[in-house]
Amino acid sequence: MQTLTDFLGAYAKRHGPLQDWQREGLTFLYERVLRDFPIVPQAAYVLATIRWECADRWQPITEIGNVAYFSKYDAEPIAPRLGNTQPGDGYRYRGRGFVQITGRANYQKFSDRLGVDLIEAPSRALDRLLSYEIMRLGMTEGLFTGKKLVDYITAEATDYVNARRVINGVDQAHKIAEYASEIEGMIA
């Protein structure tokens, strides 16, 4: 496996110089991901997912949009699925983190699991350590969609395209699979 320095160099060689905040984000993530996802294709897929979900920032982000945009999450059929029960829940519980958790139900699920009140303070999902734990638990325990990363990527088999089902159906699955293949080559 590549050292952090080698990985950062390989990444910058392919994508250009990293901004300080991008380098800081990748530095925070790299060794944690390799520790928690010791199978190289799993680690590559996790980093690829974060790259996509955070728009190459390598930092937890808030989903972009105004109150009117998120009001669609306050209506049928989406609101019940997300656990949104109050007017404005769509905006209040919009996507945040390394992997965008959305909806009152998901914020409650991770509040309960991590012992942190994300219902009263949803912006806490942007805390880097907390955001990482949300991502790690969601991907390893199937807390996002019921699918776990191990359902698609093991030491014996790698299905980067269908691994997207761990997060969000197959939305952008091929693009993230490309990212994962590239990152796998930089890690190995």
Side-chain angles (χ1 to χ4, degrees):
M1 289 216 227
Q2 294 289 341
T3 66
L4 171 63
T5 301
D6 291 338
F7 176 77
L8 290 172
Y11 192 86
K13 186 175 182 178
R14 288 190 179 208
H15 300 284
L18 295 165
Q19 300 294 320
D20 288 343
W21 47 271
Q22 289 173 303
R23 180 180 305 280
E24 180 186 339
L26 269 170
T27 298
F28 172 84
L29 289 164
Y30 188 73
E31 290 175 354
R32 280 175 179 80
V33 168
L34 290 178
R35 176 195 67 213
D36 295 334
F37 301 89
I39 299 169
V40 170
Q42 287 182 350
Y45 191 79
V46 169
L47 289 169
T49 297
I50 293 169
R51 178 180 174 199
W52 175 259
E53 293 278 322
C54 295
D56 290 314
R57 291 180 178 95
W58 301 105
Q59 298 286 343
I61 65 170
T62 301
E63 188 176 1
I64 298 169
N66 60 26
V67 174
Y69 171 80
F70 290 104
S71 66
K72 66 185 175 187
Y73 299 124
D74 291 335
E76 298 284 341
I78 298 172
R81 183 174 53 86
L82 293 175
N84 292 339
T85 59
Q86 307 295 317
D89 276 358
Y91 182 75
R92 181 169 172 83
Y93 302 109
R94 65 193 180 276
R96 290 184 183 87
F98 282 123
V99 175
Q100 308 292 297
I101 62 167
T102 50
R104 179 184 284 269
N106 284 318
Y107 278 81
Q108 185 65 61
K109 180 189 316 180
F110 286 101
S111 290
D112 296 344
R113 186 69 171 78
L114 295 168
V116 175
D117 189 354
L118 296 171
I119 295 299
E120 289 301 316
S123 64
R124 289 188 70 187
L126 293 169
D127 173 85
R128 194 166 33 189
L129 284 171
L130 190 56
S131 182
Y132 181 82
E133 281 304 301
I134 290 168
M135 180 277 306
R136 185 185 67 76
L137 290 170
M139 293 184 87
T140 59
E141 297 182 12
L143 298 179
F144 297 130
T145 64
K147 302 290 185 183
K148 300 175 187 177
L149 190 58
V150 73
D151 295 338
Y152 303 100
I153 303 172
T154 65
E156 293 78 35
T158 299
D159 183 352
Y160 283 148
V161 172
N162 282 302
R164 182 65 176 155
R165 295 177 190 282
V166 172
I167 305 295
N168 189 10
V170 291
D171 174 59
Q172 300 298 324
H174 290 283
K175 185 65 167 173
I176 298 164
E178 289 174 26
Y179 288 173
S181 292
E182 177 187 57
I183 291 171
E184 181 179 354
M186 289 186 249
I187 291 174

